Amino acid sequence: MHEMSIASAVVNTAEKHAAGRRVAVVTMTTGALRQVVPASLDFYFEIVARGTLCEGARLEQRIVAARLRCEDCGHEWEPDVPAFRCPGCESAAVEFLGGNELEVESIEIEEEAACTAPR
Amino acid sequence: MHRTKVRVATDALDANDTIAAANRADFDRAGVKVVNLMSAPGAGKTTLLEYALSDGIDGVRVGVLEGDVQGRLDADRLSVLHVPVTQLNTDNGFGGECHLDANMVRSALPEIALDEIDMLLIENVGNLVCPAEFRVGEDARAMVASVAEGEDKPLKYPLMFRTCELVIVNKIDLLPYVDFDMEHFLANLDAVNPDAEHVLVSARTGEGVHLVRDWLSEVAAREASPA
């Protein structure tokens, strides 16, 4: 949901860190628990990037599955349905190890190599 | 040409969260507690506010920020309660967005006399999906789920049900007429958000509405929370 405005935010963030240089790759983590459809984000990224330093850049999304850890019994699991009580001891004290991310991790920019050939 | 990797490590919704923090700072400075009230369209947010605010909340001066795509209908309904109400339309410069975000709420702040209220109730746009993603600087989130919507909704909209600390189950006066299994609904809610509190109300008959007022009083009395 809102992949277009998220794509805009991703392009803006990437441009800020590119400091005027062309962006070749944008790497981000997309958590399974966020309401984001990765293919939709790819689609909008390509469109929103046109005319910016990110035009033609590849968006690499690292999809992170939901992973929970029970703070009471230590059990870890990857829920495939939205159930957040510990399946082992029924505790509600769970920690999210993964699945909530929506982060731009890094970008790869293109730079002119300094010429080091001997004269 | 060679490539250099630059570490960014920035949340994609960082811009919204930064503005939410600025809103939070303004609210804290004025000593105002803020509740973000969400639900599907027609679940009964406005009717609930009409009932809950009609007698006021002891010792708490309440203001309302009404979020809708278009029109002043809700603000007009609430204005008869003699609480300050500000209408925020998302189609007025924000492209008709289906949810409120921190920027939109910030744009409405100049019209709200924060020093004349102790609590701001933000009635979000009716939508079970998007409002859950956007923090606006609130202290607490609550949602209204009506029995007419069905007991499967927590499983179908987990983010909304997970992000709220209070689920107000509304329209209980309709229970004899709808196929709604309360036990099933509460079990689904528990699976998705074991920490959520819930209350059973009818904003139409008034049954249980005092529980909502009690919760609002409790929020108003809390220590300032981090953004």
Side-chain angles (χ1 to χ4, degrees):
Chain A
M1 144 243 82
H2 291 284
E3 281 78 356
M4 179 140 117
S5 61
I6 292 172
S8 268
V10 169
V11 167
N12 286 341
T13 300
E15 279 206 303
K16 257 196 282 202
H17 285 79
R21 295 157 296 183
R22 285 222 74 77
V23 178
V25 182
V26 178
T27 304
M28 65 178 293
T29 34
T30 304
L33 291 173
R34 299 298 288 265
Q35 301 173 128
V36 174
V37 176
S40 185
L41 189 51
D42 278 339
F43 176 79
Y44 284 110
F45 177 82
E46 194 269 315
I47 293 172
V48 173
R50 292 176 201 167
T52 73
L53 292 170
C54 293
E55 180 163 346
R58 188 173 78 248
L59 178 67
E60 272 180 7
Q61 294 188 56
R62 198 167 62 84
I63 314 297
V64 182
R67 188 163 185 81
L68 308 178
R69 192 186 150 273
C70 175
E71 285 170 4
D72 283 344
C73 75
H75 178 65
E76 283 186 23
W77 77 102
E78 292 193 359
D80 43 32
V81 290
F84 299 97
R85 269 195 190 275
C86 176
C89 69
E90 301 257 312
S91 167
V94 297
E95 190 194 338
F96 285 83
L97 301 178
N100 276 328
E101 307 83 347
L102 193 63
E103 187 181 90
V104 179
E105 281 187 355
S106 65
I107 58 173
E108 273 178 48
I109 47 159
E110 286 175 353
E111 286 189 294
E112 287 288 342
C115 178
T116 54
R119 289 190 193 281
Chain B
M1 266 311 195
H2 71 269
R3 287 187 184 177
T4 307
K5 194 164 187 174
V6 177
R7 200 177 110 87
V8 174
T10 302
D11 193 281
L13 291 181
D14 185 66
N16 180 78
D17 293 345
T18 301
I19 300 174
N23 293 344
R24 164 93 267 134
D26 287 351
F27 295 139
D28 282 345
R29 234 188 321 270
V32 177
K33 291 291 183 298
V34 182
V35 171
N36 187 353
L37 183 65
M38 302 178 276
S39 81
K45 293 185 295 303
T46 313
T47 308
L48 181 66
L49 289 182
E50 281 179 310
Y51 218 109
L53 300 180
S54 60
D55 288 332
I57 300 174
D58 263 341
V60 181
R61 298 169 301 169
V62 179
V64 176
L65 177 58
E66 251 313 318
D68 287 293
V69 177
Q70 210 180 79
R72 292 195 47 87
L73 295 171
D74 286 354
D76 289 344
R77 279 169 67 180
L78 296 173
S79 62
V80 300
L81 302 175
H82 306 295
V83 298
V85 184
T86 305
Q87 178 78 55
L88 172 57
N89 288 132
T90 70
D91 74 342
N92 188 11
F94 298 107
E97 277 288 23
C98 54
H99 61 274
L100 295 183
D101 65 17
N103 186 39
M104 291 179 222
V105 168
R106 190 155 193 77
S107 76
L109 291 189
E111 290 170 61
I112 305 173
L114 289 178
D115 41 342
E116 288 171 18
I117 58 174
D118 305 305
M119 171 168 266
L120 181 66
L121 295 176
I122 301 179
E123 189 189 325
N124 215 311
V125 178
N127 180 343
L128 270 189
V129 182
C130 316
E133 278 284 5
F134 298 92
R135 296 259 151 207
V136 298
E138 67 271 51
D139 287 89
R141 298 180 138 197
M143 66 163 301
V144 181
S146 81
V147 305
E149 294 168 67
E151 67 247 16
D152 58 352
K153 292 305 168 291
L155 302 180
K156 294 174 74 169
Y157 298 91
L159 183 61
M160 175 59 78
F161 283 86
R162 274 197 312 124
T163 199
C164 292
E165 59 176 270
L166 176 70
V167 174
I168 302 163
V169 185
N170 192 27
K171 305 193 185 179
I172 57 173
D173 55 302
L174 291 184
L175 283 172
Y177 312 106
V178 293
D179 292 331
F180 181 88
D181 185 331
M182 183 67 77
E183 226 181 278
H184 226 137
F185 172 84
L186 294 176
N188 289 340
L189 175 58
D190 182 79
V192 162
N193 187 351
D195 290 329
E197 268 183 68
H198 67 270
V199 292
L200 307 184
V201 312
S202 164
R204 195 164 154 273
T205 66
E207 187 181 347
V209 177
H210 65 281
L211 298 170
V212 176
R213 259 193 241 114
D214 288 347
W215 181 79
L216 291 172
S217 287
E218 187 264 308
V219 174
R222 286 182 193 173
E223 297 287 309
S225 54

